[in-house]
Amino acid sequence: MTAGGIITALIIGLIIGALGRLVVPGRQNIPLWLTLVIGVVAALIGSAIARAGGFADTDGWIDWRELLLQIALAAVGVALTVGLVGRGRRGVTR
């Protein structure tokens, strides 16, 4: 993977993290930076799965199957993180 590919993966991962957070219903009590990290990890894992499945390289500009897989992985990652980490975080109510 080239430096340009890594930078692209990071940018796409940030977007996917935000989309994954939007897909999960309810309020997420996790920091935004953690959501973005989950998105980057989901993008990398989704790309690896797409390569292993043989649908990473298509003729089109955007590979929709890979993108939907990455968003689904990000949504699962956000939901799991909210379930594990988000429970203990409570906002101050006055």
Side-chain angles (χ1 to χ4, degrees):
M1 189 174 250
T2 65
I6 292 172
I7 292 171
T8 302
L10 289 174
I11 292 170
I12 295 297
L14 296 176
I15 295 168
I16 285 175
L19 290 173
R21 188 173 182 137
L22 289 174
V23 170
V24 175
R27 187 165 189 256
Q28 295 90 28
N29 290 326
I30 59 173
L32 182 61
W33 67 266
L34 186 56
T35 303
L36 299 177
V37 169
I38 292 168
V40 170
V41 171
L44 295 174
I45 292 173
S47 292
I49 292 172
R51 286 196 197 290
F55 59 92
D57 297 321
T58 60
D59 294 334
W61 184 69
I62 296 175
D63 185 0
W64 293 106
R65 292 180 295 177
E66 182 178 3
L67 183 62
L68 290 175
L69 175 64
Q70 291 169 332
I71 293 170
L73 288 172
V76 168
V78 167
L80 287 175
T81 304
V82 166
L84 296 173
V85 176
R87 286 186 187 155
R89 296 178 50 101
R90 300 281 185 228
V92 176
T93 56
R94 295 183 188 188

